[in-house]
Amino acid sequence: MDSLPDPGEVTHPPPPPPSFDDFQRQTSLMTSCTLLWKELSDHFSSLEQDLIRKSESLKAKFQALNSETHQSLQALDTRESSISKSMSIALEALEKSTKTSLSAPVPTSEEPEVDDSEGLLMKLKSFCQKMAARRFWVFVTSRKRELESFRSELPRALADCVDPPRFVLEAISEVFPVAASNNSYDLGWACVLLLESLIPVMMDPVLGKERMLVTPRMKGKAEEIAETWKRSLEERGGIENVKTPDVHTFLQHLVTFGIVKKEDVELYRKLVVASAWRKQMPKLAVSLGLGDKMPDMIEELIGKGQQVDAVHFTYEVGLADKYPPVPLLRAFLKDAKKAATSILEDHNNSGRATHMAAKKEQSAIRAVLRCIEEYKLGAEFPPESLKKRLEQLEKAKIEKKKPASPAAKRTRASNGGPMPPAKAGRSTNAYVSSFPSPPTYMRSPSHTQYPSPVPAYPAVYNRSPPYHPYSPEAPPPAFTGSYSVSPVNFPAYGMAPAYQQAYY
């Protein structure tokens, strides 16, 4: 039996069931908490990853600094230990020079004769020991034919100088950084030769190129000379108007004294590209710190049609795989043939055009043959066809230079016209009249007498060769006409060579 409720007890109504809105609010709250927790977790995870990366970076930098410090300390120890050895070598050389000077005979006013390499060395040493820079410069520049002898003897002679860097700077001051006269433009070869010969003299006998024996005063003077040259570059109209020997001297000056500046790298790049045909330019470019800019420089040379120069640069920095040399050389020959064809299109002077076109093609073939021989490309690019074509051009050149026989010169044309009077003799007592002599006629043995009268005036002779289309594979065109007279080719006044010649 159920118990009855106590009438005095207070009863509460049951709570109402949760509504749907309450459920949605709780769901939204839980979702927000979950997203906030995930965002905080991601944030702390990223912070942790950043701390790990920075920690690893600091460890790597610390290790690199330790390694650099260790290497620097080792280099300092090596340099410090080499000082005593270098000083002992210098003292031995000084003692040897002293003994040689004391044992040498009393000097006379007569200069040593230069009849062999030993005489040349003694002559150079006499200038260097006296620090006679001006006389030394005059002597070197007056003997360009002995260039190879200078290359071997100059370093030995400069070693006898009291201050070799100062001696060389005083010697080349006549033309560098600014030429004292307009007649000094062709002496750049001597400046480069002296600056190159100075490098082995300035090298430390123990450390080599790692330490150059040049005083801070001389290095500062070299920097002043370089700045003077750069200022004169603007006064002369920019890079395009500066002569290549002058550019070569400036770049060699920077390398010799170790005064290359990072802020001038772009200037160095432009100078090297403008004078890229020089044999020493690829090595100078590397010494100037342009190794990372070589791909762009090679592309620029290819775009300018200097594929042969580009090949030299690719081999200097080891980019022959990226820029294969054989396609570049074939493209260079193709461009040369196009240029020769365009030269032959000059109908006004076909004789000179033929000569210039052949000369341009010969220069291109010789440059390619040198590349094939230097870099051993004969298997990829057989040179036989090029050599054959070069022989054809040389043979045609020789044939054109052969003088015509006197009989051919005096043979009358088939039209019965009179020949012009013969030239006067070249003897000193030959009399040349200012009045025209009566014309002399000669009948051709292969023709009968013509019914028409002989004209009163000589006929006009056209000896210019006919124009033929150019073909690189075909032999040179033969000259045809009424008279078998080879044309006389006179050199054009003021014509420059098709390609610049190799620098000393």
Side-chain angles (χ1 to χ4, degrees):
M1 184 175 178
D2 298 334
S3 60
L4 297 174
D6 189 359
E9 183 179 1
V10 179
T11 61
H12 296 282
S19 64
F20 184 74
D21 294 337
D22 295 337
F23 179 74
Q24 284 187 337
R25 281 195 299 272
Q26 293 178 1
T27 303
S28 300
L29 182 61
M30 292 182 66
T31 303
S32 300
C33 291
T34 303
L35 293 175
L36 182 61
W37 173 259
K38 185 177 181 181
E39 184 178 353
L40 291 173
S41 299
D42 295 340
H43 177 66
F44 283 109
S45 297
S46 64
L47 290 177
E48 184 179 4
Q49 294 295 329
D50 290 340
L51 290 175
I52 293 174
R53 284 195 297 268
K54 290 181 179 180
S55 177
E56 292 178 351
S57 176
L58 289 175
K59 288 181 180 179
K61 290 182 179 179
F62 185 72
Q63 292 177 356
L65 288 174
N66 283 339
S67 177
E68 291 178 1
T69 304
H70 183 66
Q71 292 178 359
S72 299
L73 291 175
Q74 282 186 344
L76 288 175
D77 292 339
T78 304
R79 293 170 71 91
E80 185 177 359
S81 62
S82 67
I83 291 176
S84 59
K85 189 173 182 180
S86 299
M87 290 181 64
S88 63
I89 293 174
L91 288 175
E92 291 177 1
L94 180 60
E95 292 177 358
K96 184 178 179 180
S97 299
T98 303
K99 292 179 179 179
T100 304
S101 300
L102 293 176
S103 62
V106 179
T108 60
S109 58
E110 297 180 359
E111 296 289 343
E113 296 183 359
V114 184
D115 52 359
D116 54 6
S117 61
E118 189 64 27
L120 177 64
L121 178 61
M122 296 300 297
K123 184 75 172 180
L124 293 173
K125 282 188 173 184
S126 67
F127 292 133
C128 294
Q129 291 169 357
K130 299 174 185 177
M131 293 292 287
R134 174 61 181 166
R135 294 172 59 194
F136 173 83
W137 173 256
V138 174
F139 177 77
V140 172
T141 55
S142 63
R143 293 175 174 265
K144 187 176 181 180
R145 294 183 178 180
E146 303 179 23
L147 185 62
E148 295 304 322
S149 299
F150 279 136
R151 287 187 186 278
S152 58
E153 304 298 344
L154 272 175
R156 299 169 59 187
L158 291 174
D160 287 357
C161 290
V162 177
D163 191 351
R166 176 186 173 187
F167 181 77
V168 170
L169 290 180
E170 289 180 357
I172 66 176
S173 61
E174 185 72 18
V175 295
F176 183 79
V178 180
S181 62
N182 295 331
N183 297 329
S184 304
Y185 67 94
D186 59 342
L187 299 179
W189 64 270
C191 296
V192 175
L193 176 64
L194 294 181
L195 291 171
E196 289 178 344
S197 302
L198 183 61
I199 294 178
V201 180
M202 295 196 318
M203 289 193 306
D204 186 271
V206 179
L207 299 180
K209 290 185 178 181
E210 295 182 8
R211 180 169 63 192
M212 304 299 289
L213 302 179
V214 55
T215 61
R217 181 180 179 183
M218 284 296 101
K219 192 168 185 178
K221 185 176 180 180
E223 291 178 349
E224 293 177 1
I225 291 174
E227 293 298 325
T228 302
W229 190 91
K230 287 192 293 185
R231 289 193 297 270
S232 68
L233 182 65
E234 300 177 356
E235 297 174 358
R236 287 180 284 183
I239 298 174
E240 296 79 7
N241 298 322
V242 180
K243 297 180 178 64
T244 301
D246 201 7
V247 173
H248 193 174
T249 303
F250 171 69
L251 297 179
Q252 186 63 54
H253 174 80
L254 299 177
V255 173
T256 299
F257 288 94
I259 52 177
V260 177
K261 295 183 178 180
K262 293 183 178 179
E263 57 268 22
D264 293 334
V265 169
E266 184 61 24
L267 172 64
Y268 304 155
R269 186 194 69 80
K270 293 180 180 178
L271 292 173
V272 169
V273 172
S275 305
W277 58 273
R278 286 296 177 95
K279 183 180 180 180
Q280 297 91 339
M281 280 301 158
K283 292 185 181 296
L284 279 178
V286 176
S287 301
L288 292 168
L290 300 177
D292 56 340
K293 296 183 178 295
M294 278 294 190
D296 296 335
M297 296 168 63
I298 293 172
E299 293 285 353
E300 186 173 353
L301 291 174
I302 294 174
K304 290 183 176 181
Q306 298 176 242
Q307 292 90 342
V308 173
D309 301 329
V311 170
H312 294 306
F313 277 79
T314 56
Y315 275 96
E316 183 64 32
V317 294
L319 295 177
D321 294 336
K322 185 177 180 180
Y323 301 97
V326 174
L328 293 177
L329 296 179
R330 293 187 185 278
F332 179 73
L333 288 174
K334 185 177 180 181
D335 293 344
K337 289 181 180 180
K338 288 183 180 178
T341 304
S342 63
I343 293 175
L344 285 173
E345 293 176 356
D346 184 8
H347 300 282
N348 297 327
N349 197 344
S350 57
R352 188 183 68 175
T354 304
H355 171 72
M356 295 301 296
K359 187 174 182 180
K360 189 173 187 65
E361 189 177 356
Q362 282 178 320
S363 300
I365 292 175
R366 290 194 182 99
V368 172
L369 287 174
R370 285 194 294 267
C371 276
I372 294 174
E373 182 180 359
E374 181 176 357
Y375 302 116
K376 305 297 186 291
L377 301 174
E380 304 177 41
F381 195 169
E384 287 74 16
S385 60
L386 295 179
K387 292 180 180 179
K388 184 177 180 181
R389 177 58 182 164
L390 188 61
E391 291 177 359
Q392 292 177 354
L393 295 172
E394 291 288 349
K395 185 177 180 181
K397 183 178 179 181
I398 295 173
E399 291 293 334
K400 288 179 65 177
K401 288 185 177 180
K402 285 184 178 180
S405 61
K409 290 182 178 181
R410 302 300 303 161
T411 302
R412 192 179 63 84
S414 60
N415 59 1
M419 291 295 298
K423 294 182 180 179
R426 295 184 180 270
S427 58
T428 55
N429 58 353
Y431 171 74
V432 181
S433 174
S434 59
F435 297 93
S437 58
T440 303
Y441 306 105
M442 180 176 63
R443 295 295 183 183
S444 173
S446 60
H447 293 79
T448 57
Q449 184 175 358
Y450 294 89
S452 58
V454 178
Y457 295 97
V460 179
Y461 294 90
N462 182 12
R463 298 188 179 186
S464 60
Y467 172 74
H468 294 275
Y470 174 72
S471 175
E473 292 76 11
F479 298 100
T480 60
S482 301
Y483 295 90
S484 58
V485 180
S486 58
V488 181
N489 293 326
F490 297 94
Y493 179 76
M495 288 298 296
Y499 288 88
Q500 300 195 43
Q501 298 178 356
Y503 187 56
Y504 70 83

